[in-house]
Amino acid sequence: MNFENVLIELNDSLATVIINRPKKLNALNRATIKDLSKAFKTLNKDKTIRAIILTGSGEKAFVAGADISEFANYSVKEGKELAANGQKSLFDLIENLGTPVIAAINGFALGGGLELAMSCHFRIASNNAKMGLPEVSLGVIPGYGGTQRLPQLIGKGMALELIMTAGMINAEKALSYGLVNYVVPQEELLSLCTKMASKITNNSPVAISYAIKAVNAGFKNNAKGFETEINAFGSCFGTADFKEGTTAFIEKRKADFPGT
Ligand code: COA
């Protein structure tokens, strides 16, 4: 498998998927989402692959968010499609994959990056990791399932605090919230993920895929929540706040929101 923005390393029954745009802190543009979607679909079909680790290349970022420069000029319709297509082709795909996926959060996991990590079956972070959903600082909301999966993982109050403040939390805090399962020094991150993966691969892959299905089924009554997120995300693209937020990011200045 050859991709422009994604590397895949295979080692017996374990595949490591590496998002590879380090100069842009692995920001998720449409091409990367497409590559990741293809990679996960292909790996899931390969019955010799029993576990997948997802990580970012470089030492600084897992994924610093959706690619802001790509969507800054989108219309409401394009914004809505961006969220709907991304959710369907990648985030829902990973969450419902029969093969277990561990996110190895090796640095910034912001916006779409944290949403991607939250789609994985569980998360392990390096001690330099920083996590958050800063979308409202850009005049938009999380659109890749963040408004649904963050409260599932850490509870409604903490999730709303994190979303509304656009704040970033460090790895230790993420551990205390239950957002990540373990925190280790960066040089030990992949070895711990590999160790966890090998514990998983000793067990029945069929039973594991059923367990994933059963656990996910308990959260399926929030389909309306995902739909509401997509519509609200799209609506943001018609606001003056969104224009100001994304322009300010690109111009590397603080946003001054008009509130319309
Ligand atoms: N979309 C597009 N480009 C991004 C990006 C994103 N989400 N995050 C980082 N980049 C780019 C930067 O524009 C910069 O590109 P340049 O070198 O061509 O100017 C490069 O990645 C390096 O980022 P930089 O901001 O210089 O690194 P930093 O160490 O000063 O700051 C962050 C790191 C993560 C705090 C900062 O990049 C950031 O705030 N990113 C956006 C986070 C965000 O709002 N994500 C949610 C999007 S919905």
Side-chain angles (χ1 to χ4, degrees):
M1 272 181 283
N2 263 334
F3 298 107
E4 192 189 334
N5 302 300
V6 169
L7 304 172
I8 294 175
E9 287 173 4
L10 299 174
N11 191 354
D12 293 329
S13 58
L14 176 67
T16 304
V17 176
I18 305 160
I19 303 148
N20 191 31
R21 292 183 81 208
K23 284 194 183 134
K24 293 288 174 190
L25 303 187
N26 303 321
L28 291 178
N29 58 3
R30 280 198 299 194
T32 306
I33 289 188
K34 218 172 176 180
D35 285 355
L36 282 168
S37 175
K38 265 196 206 150
F40 277 101
K41 276 186 189 147
T42 310
L43 290 170
N44 195 44
K45 274 191 210 130
D46 182 342
K47 292 302 158 209
T48 66
I49 300 298
R50 299 277 185 92
I52 300 170
I53 295 170
L54 175 63
T55 195
S57 73
E59 292 178 353
K60 203 170 160 183
F62 174 75
V63 169
D67 192 317
I68 299 163
S69 61
E70 195 177 66
F71 68 56
N73 292 317
Y74 277 11
S75 64
V76 169
K77 184 168 172 276
E78 288 168 318
K80 202 172 148 183
E81 281 167 5
L82 181 75
N85 294 339
Q87 285 196 17
K88 187 161 177 262
S89 69
L90 184 61
F91 296 75
D92 292 353
L93 172 79
I94 294 178
E95 181 169 62
N96 294 304
L97 212 70
T99 313
V101 185
I102 304 171
I105 304 178
N106 58 313
F108 288 113
L110 301 174
L114 181 56
E115 291 175 296
L116 186 63
M118 291 193 295
S119 298
C120 297
H121 298 123
F122 62 89
R123 290 142 291 284
I124 300 178
S126 59
N127 54 10
N128 66 320
K130 293 242 163 59
M131 285 158 256
L133 293 178
E135 284 86 347
V136 298
S137 70
L138 294 160
V140 68
I141 66 165
Y144 289 143
T147 67
Q148 305 305 298
R149 293 191 184 100
L150 188 62
Q152 282 172 17
L153 285 163
I154 71 171
K156 189 172 162 186
M158 297 312 289
L160 275 170
E161 179 184 325
L162 208 54
I163 291 170
M164 293 191 299
T165 58
M168 262 190 232
I169 55 170
N170 64 22
E172 285 303 327
K173 198 151 215 182
L175 182 65
S176 75
Y177 287 0
L179 185 54
V180 302
N181 294 11
Y182 304 94
V183 175
V184 286
Q186 190 164 52
E187 58 278 14
E188 293 167 27
L189 178 63
L190 288 180
S191 63
L192 178 61
C193 292
T194 305
K195 206 163 127 192
M196 296 304 294
S198 68
K199 282 191 185 177
I200 292 170
T201 54
N202 283 335
N203 299 318
S204 156
V206 178
I208 286 171
S209 72
Y210 283 144
I212 293 169
K213 205 171 176 179
V215 170
N216 284 345
F219 294 95
K220 284 282 187 267
N221 58 358
N222 62 352
K224 272 220 161 63
F226 284 97
E227 199 184 305
T228 304
E229 183 188 271
I230 290 169
N231 287 324
F233 180 84
S235 299
C236 293
F237 285 69
T239 66
D241 277 4
F242 175 75
K243 277 273 155 294
E244 167 59 10
T246 48
T247 307
F249 177 81
I250 288 161
E251 292 175 356
K252 299 187 189 288
R253 61 172 171 81
K254 195 170 176 302
D256 180 13
F257 291 112
T260 56

